[in-house]
Every structure is written in C-alpha cells, then in structure tokens.
Amino acid sequence: MNDIYDKLMAVAKRRGFLYPSYEIYGGEAGFYDYGPLGSLLKNNIENVWRKFYISQEGFYEISTPVITPYEVLKASGHVDEFIDEIGTCIKCNASFKVEELKDEKCPICGGRVKKGKLNLMFETFIGAKKNKHAFLRPETAQGIFVNFPMLYEFFRRKIPFGVVQIGKGFRNEVSPRQGIIRLREFSMAEAEIFFSEEKKKHHRFMEIKEEEMRLLLNEEEMKMKLGEAVETGIIGNEALAYYMALTKNFLLTVGIDENKLRFRKHKEDELAHYANECWDAELYSERFGWIECVGIADRSAYDLQAHMKASGAEMRVFEKYEEPRIEKRKVIRLKMDKIGPIFKDKAKIVKEKLENMEIVNEEKITVEIDGKVYEIGKELYEIEEIEEKVTGRRYIPHVIEPSYGIDRIFYFILEHNYKETKKEGEKYVILSLPACIAPIKAGVFPLVNKDGLPEIAREIEKGLRKKGIMVVYDDSGSIGRRYARMDEIGTPFCITVDYQTKEDDTITIRFRDTTEQIRLQRQKLADWLKERIEF
RNA sequence: GCGGGCGUGAUCUAGCUGGUUAGGAUAUGAGCCUUCCAAGCUCAAUGCCCGGGUUCGAAUCCCGGCGCCCGCACCA
C-alpha cells in the first residue's frame, strides 16, 4: 500500500516529526518518539489547548503522578472494569468475548475454548521491596478526582469550576497496529468540570446554541443546532453541548478539516463504566476511517462517589440556600430501656436501623435483621415531629469531562493538511499547518550567498529569535529548494533578503499556500509575524 | 494473541537459482554556480532488522525473535 498514511509517515520520519521508538533495537510496537519538529508541533497544539481551557475558560492546570496505587484504581473501577476477558478456540483460533460463550464451546466449530483475562493497565510495584502494587494511570482524570477536596478549597468552594491536566496515559493494548493512532503510551489533555448535580446548565450556552453540528446517532447522521439537540434531549445537558462546541472550535483552530469532523453518541452498551452519556469527536482518515479523538463524557457523580466511599474523604460540596429553610421532620425516639432487654445483643442493630429509617407508617414499624422481620411494638418508641433549620444542602458534584487524545489529533492535523501538488511535473508536498501550530514560523534566506546578503539575513534571524519567534536561517541550494523545504514542514512564511533590501530596508515575505509575495519594512517584520502566529 | 505476506543507507529500490569493492535514484552535508520557487557541477557520509544454524563462504538457504502490512479478535 502506498496511500496518504505511508507518504505522510515517510515525510514525518525524514523531517523529524515522528520516529518509531527504540528503532535501533528493532522497535517496540505501540510507542512513537516525537522528533525535533514533532515536539515543537505537539507543544504548540497543547498550548493552543491551554489557551482554550485555561485562558478562555478560566480553568487551572495541575500535574499528578503517572504511577497510581492499586487502591485508587480499585476504587475508580478500573481494576475490575478495565478488563477484557477473551476466549480463544484451540481448534479454529477464533476469539470471542467470554460473555458470548455458551458451555465453553466455540460457537463456530465446537472446539474447546481457552480463556484469558486481560487488564489493559500496565502493572508496576512501588518501593525497594516492591510490595506495593500499582499501575501506570490509564487516564489523567483520577489525579484530579483524588485532589477534589483541596481543589474545592482552592476555588473557594464555588461550583462550577474546572481543572485540567495534560500528560501521559498508558494502556497495554493487545494489538497496537495503527501507528500513532493506537499507542500504548500516549498524551492526553483532559478537563474535569464540576457541576451541581441536576443543573449542568452552562452560563455561556447562549453563545453556542445556534452552532450547527454534524451528529451521528445510532448510525444515523444529522445536522442540528446545539440548542435544538439539548431541547430534544439528544444531548443530555447544556454543559455537554457547550464543550462539544468548544471542542469543534479548538479542532478547527489547530487545522482539522471541518468536513472530516463529526460527533458520535455512544450507545448504551459501549459506554465506559463511569459514564452515563458520551459524545466522541470523530475525525476522518483516508487510511483508518472515522477515529475517535476526543471523548466528551458525562461522568455524573460516579468518580467522586466511588472515592468518597473507598477513602472516606468528604467529596460533597455545600450549597447554601438563599433563605434557611425550616423543615419539619418526623423522628423516632426509641425507648432503649425496653428495647435492650428484648433484643439483647441485636439491640444495637435495631437502633441503627430504626434511626435511619424513613417513617412511612407510624402505626406499624418493622425491622429486618438477618432475613427475619421483627415488629416493633408501639410501647417501644414515640414518633416526634421536629422543626429543623436547614441552611443548605450537601451533594456530590457531577463531572463533565472533555478528554483529548493529543497524539491522534497530531496525526489528523498532519493528514488533513498534507497536500501533494505538482511543480514542473515533479511531486511537491505542502503541509498547510495553521501558523499558530507550525513548528517553524518562518524561514529567513539571503537570495544569493554573496554581496552582504547573508549578513543581513543573519541579523534578521537573530532579531526574530530574540523576540521569541521560531525561525530558521538557510542559505544552501537554490531559493526554490529552500522554499520547498519549508513548505514540506509547514512553515507558513519565508523571508528573503535581496538586493533591494540594501537600498530601502525592505524584505519579501512569501506565503506558503499561495507562493504569493509581498514586501515589508524590515522593522515591521516581527510584529507582522507575531500578529499572524497568535490565534 | 492466532493465521498469511514482507524486512537492503534517512527514503524508494537492484541484487536474493549462495562467492560482487552490495549498484542506482531521491534526500542530507561541504564547495562551486545562482538576482525568487526542488536547475547544474565536484566531493563526502550513511545500509543487507536481530540472534542462531547449514556451508570453505550467507543480503541470498533453514530456525527463532522483533518490527511492518493484511485478515480474525480486541479497542473507556
């Protein structure tokens, strides 16, 4: 095969974007290195992401360990749920999910089936004695959840708030075949936004409700405005819709082709153990088809609840009512001096059960202990109605989580912007990256290698570097060759010093996508560039 | 993880019916030339995926591993 993927990966390797990891030792499937240009590009993508989520949304970034103790992931459900149980037929080699099997026999040929379990997390051990079981995190989210009590304080106990993390996640994939699309160690950018449970309204929903989205629902594709999708319940709440719009905006900003983007709703049976609704931003690849690159999930109160239960930490927030409410409540007053002698050693359990019970029928109260039902005689208790001043309520916040696969987005940016044209019969490659993420912002060239032009070009290079603009100087080969080199790595602008520069202090700027040129005063160059590489 | 195909400089490839200084092209570096889109000339550096076996001798044949591709399965 020699499709866009092969061509792209060849350029990516040759030009220092991506290298297969540990290649001199034969390589290791599921791992890729980012080369010099790849690292620049990836950092730029992450920084645009930061601008969206930190500068604009006002969230904060934290950074937590990759190594995660067993009990954290036990509590979160990953130890039990992040498992594949596979049966493989000894005879015909077909594989099945274990749930699909009846009576341990292969549904195809009737042969015997060998069972295997597979937890997709990488295991490790902490400490010199290596006796503390741990995992490499499968998602960065848990690092945020376990810090919730501190973060809630940091945000001065105001909800909603958002916390983000960009970092590595690990999954020991069974068969990582699709290059950088399916990695065992990968970068993700995740945001966890905490909402009061039932509301999940979003204060900027107004701004995005007219946004038209391409949605995929049960294999059926439709175009719909976000406002309508929320009204009809296709999208469960405003917050989900808002982050779908934000995701779309982000992806288009970093160079994703709008025609190759859609949002697909997870079906019930494919939802992760922690999610009750999830929308994937899927990007289209000529090689791989539609691939999920961002997951926007409603994780409800699942994670905080799980950690509260397992650790005992308070994960609830307090919401003060505008006015304290007087609530009337019926409580049961037990006459322990009578209950004690009757129930003896079970008296304590009876007390606990009764005190926590909701009183439905005042006349007949029963309690169940070890499967036996006991009726509690009227002489053993009194029902009293009390008034209580309630100043607020406690609840576990719900979480909306947009989670981005940076490596996949990286790949799709390359694929969507890879353009092959012909120049004088020869194949010519342009990577049309948006200026905000291009690894090199400009090439600086002397038109010819004499008459003082290189010296001027060097000065310009130095000046731009000093202003923090990533540029490269190049004086080798013909000017056309130098343009071509820059086009291939996505450099949006080329600055050329020619003889006119010596006369009037102007330079030419050549545009990558159009090859058009303009002249500009040398002094204005840095600002001109800065304006264009911001987004 | 299973089955099939493949593995030669950074890239594409010749050689693969055992014996060659392993050839070419592109890209890269140095130099010459060059007044705006991969021109040309000279020179240079880089390779038989790894390990074992057969053989006097292995890029070439055999076995194992690793990687890549295709199918099955898996994929919050």
Side-chain angles (χ1 to χ4, degrees):
Chain A
M1 209 194 300
N2 200 4
D3 61 8
I4 189 169
Y5 174 84
D6 295 307
K7 293 180 196 166
L8 191 56
M9 292 307 272
V11 173
K13 189 175 174 188
R14 184 157 45 82
R15 292 302 189 187
F17 286 91
L18 293 170
Y19 307 131
S21 293
Y22 311 110
E23 203 186 20
I24 63 168
Y25 286 97
E28 194 63 51
F31 300 91
Y32 262 88
D33 296 346
Y34 285 85
L37 294 184
S39 294
L40 283 168
L41 177 54
K42 180 166 175 263
N43 287 341
N44 291 344
I45 294 167
E46 290 175 354
N47 286 332
V48 171
W49 193 88
R50 286 189 171 94
K51 279 189 189 163
F52 272 85
Y53 277 91
I54 299 176
S55 306
Q56 292 179 6
E57 292 296 302
F59 299 161
Y60 283 81
E61 181 173 1
I62 67 167
S63 184
T64 68
V66 161
I67 293 175
T68 312
Y70 176 90
E71 54 266 45
V72 174
L73 292 162
K74 176 72 180 174
S76 71
H78 287 84
V79 169
D80 299 311
E81 305 285 343
F82 213 60
I83 271 182
D84 285 336
E85 279 190 273
I86 307 170
T88 307
C89 173
I90 295 169
K91 235 180 176 176
C92 71
N93 251 317
S95 292
F96 313 93
K97 275 189 170 176
V98 163
E99 302 92 77
E100 289 170 4
L101 292 175
K102 288 169 197 160
D103 54 329
E104 315 282 297
K105 280 192 181 154
C106 171
I108 294 172
C109 72
R112 274 188 47 216
V113 168
K114 171 178 78 182
K115 275 191 185 173
K117 263 196 186 177
L118 225 132
N119 190 300
L120 292 180
M121 292 192 291
F122 279 96
E123 274 184 288
T124 189
F125 297 90
I126 299 173
K129 285 184 185 162
K130 301 201 168 194
N131 52 5
K132 179 136 199 213
H133 197 185
F135 298 100
L136 305 190
R137 65 185 178 195
E139 54 173 6
T140 69
Q142 297 305 326
I144 297 175
F145 297 139
V146 297
N147 274 307
F148 181 78
M150 269 78 76
L151 293 167
Y152 179 50
E153 282 301 314
F154 174 83
F155 284 95
R156 294 164 54 207
R157 306 185 195 179
K158 289 193 180 83
I159 275 225
F161 65 83
V163 177
V164 310
Q165 180 159 200
I166 299 181
K168 291 285 184 82
F170 303 81
R171 291 174 200 182
N172 202 357
E173 298 286 351
V174 179
S175 166
R177 282 216 201 147
Q178 305 159 61
I180 194 179
I181 295 293
R182 171 159 257 99
L183 293 173
R184 289 188 164 120
E185 173 173 344
F186 54 98
S187 287
M188 40 182 151
E190 298 189 297
E192 310 299 327
I193 305 118
F194 299 92
F195 287 89
S196 62
E197 73 228 81
E198 73 267 75
K199 294 175 188 162
K200 286 185 229 174
K201 297 234 171 235
H202 199 283
H203 68 288
R204 290 168 70 181
F205 183 67
M206 288 304 290
E207 297 169 27
I208 55 104
K209 62 189 268 198
E210 294 302 314
E211 178 80 35
E212 192 163 69
M213 306 288 273
R214 182 174 172 187
L215 304 179
L216 189 74
L217 192 63
N218 292 323
E219 322 291 326
E220 202 186 313
E221 205 170 297
M222 56 186 85
K223 286 219 166 179
M224 193 182 276
K225 288 182 179 172
L226 283 170
E228 192 191 342
V230 172
E231 266 167 40
T232 54
I234 289 173
I235 297 174
N237 56 64
E238 290 185 5
L240 272 175
Y242 179 81
Y243 292 105
M244 286 167 70
L246 187 74
T247 294
K248 179 179 174 184
N249 192 210
F250 166 77
L251 290 173
L252 299 188
T253 301
V254 293
I256 291 301
D257 182 346
E258 184 166 8
N259 298 314
K260 296 177 180 173
L261 164 65
R262 70 180 188 192
F263 288 84
R264 188 177 70 84
K265 189 177 189 177
H266 279 211
K267 294 173 199 150
E268 280 292 315
D269 60 359
E270 65 175 314
L271 284 168
H273 66 272
Y274 51 68
N276 62 20
E277 181 173 343
C278 184
W279 288 85
D280 281 346
E282 295 189 324
L283 302 180
Y284 184 76
S285 162
E286 286 176 35
R287 171 68 162 260
F288 303 112
W290 289 99
I291 298 284
E292 61 161 297
C293 291
V294 183
I296 303 157
D298 182 344
R299 296 179 74 133
S300 70
Y302 177 88
D303 299 276
L304 292 182
Q305 189 148 43
H307 287 304
M308 181 158 132
K309 194 174 166 199
S311 70
E314 177 62 271
M315 296 289 187
R316 293 178 303 173
V317 300
F318 182 75
E319 184 184 70
K320 206 175 163 189
Y321 296 142
E322 287 177 17
E323 292 282 315
R325 295 178 195 174
I326 306 299
E327 283 183 6
K328 285 183 185 170
R329 194 155 68 88
K330 283 177 182 168
V331 292
I332 188 162
R333 301 268 183 229
L334 298 173
K335 296 180 180 166
M336 288 312 286
D337 57 332
K338 287 176 183 161
I339 288 174
I342 295 172
F343 289 95
K344 300 210 165 84
D345 59 327
K346 292 199 178 91
K348 199 180 166 193
I349 306 173
V350 171
K351 179 172 182 271
E352 277 173 13
K353 291 224 173 193
L354 289 175
E355 282 179 345
N356 291 318
M357 152 184 291
E358 205 182 324
I359 298 155
V360 194
N361 181 350
E362 283 183 34
E363 300 305 314
K364 188 183 175 189
I365 290 180
T366 59
V367 63
E368 190 185 315
I369 298 166
D370 298 333
K372 279 187 191 168
V373 179
Y374 300 89
E375 191 162 330
I376 310 296
K378 280 193 95 171
E379 69 282 7
L380 300 181
Y381 65 90
E382 275 173 12
I383 300 284
E384 199 182 324
E385 193 169 65
I386 57 161
E387 286 192 347
E388 233 177 10
K389 192 168 120 182
V390 184
T391 56
R393 64 180 188 119
R394 278 179 206 287
Y395 63 89
I396 300 177
H398 276 217
V399 171
I400 299 291
E401 174 198 71
S403 171
Y404 294 64
I406 297 294
D407 313 271
R408 288 184 175 184
I409 292 169
F410 180 102
Y411 172 76
F412 279 92
I413 290 171
L414 295 184
E415 191 185 307
H416 290 184
N417 291 286
Y418 178 90
K419 297 192 176 121
E420 226 174 66
T421 58
K422 292 248 171 185
K423 222 166 208 183
E424 294 173 17
E426 218 181 330
K427 190 180 102 177
Y428 194 90
V429 172
I430 302 174
L431 206 54
S432 289
L433 301 175
C436 63
I437 59 159
I440 307 293
K441 306 304 185 187
V444 181
F445 314 143
L447 184 58
V448 288
N449 240 339
K450 57 184 181 190
D451 302 328
L453 301 188
E455 288 74 9
I456 301 171
R458 280 286 187 196
E459 273 172 33
I460 290 172
E461 181 212 2
K462 203 172 146 195
L464 293 174
R465 283 181 182 277
K466 213 168 178 178
K467 300 242 176 174
I469 301 170
M470 190 69 196
V471 296
V472 296
Y473 172 88
D474 189 359
D475 63 11
S476 80
S478 71
I479 192 81
R481 181 184 286 287
R482 286 176 261 162
Y483 288 149
R485 268 198 280 262
M486 289 296 116
D487 288 346
E488 199 179 27
I489 62 169
T491 304
F493 309 110
C494 289
I495 316 301
T496 303
V497 172
D498 57 16
Y499 285 97
Q500 198 181 324
T501 308
K502 288 171 78 173
E503 288 163 25
D504 62 6
D505 232 17
T506 61
I507 41 79
T508 68
I509 301 172
R510 178 253 193 198
F511 296 82
R512 175 193 62 207
D513 299 324
T514 60
T515 76
E516 176 199 338
Q517 294 191 22
I518 58 166
R519 286 202 86 87
L520 190 76
Q521 277 294 318
R522 201 177 135 180
Q523 290 74 15
K524 294 182 184 162
L525 181 57
D527 288 337
W528 188 94
L529 282 172
K530 278 207 158 170
E531 208 174 291
R532 267 144 256 258
I533 61 186
E534 290 281 315
F535 80 94

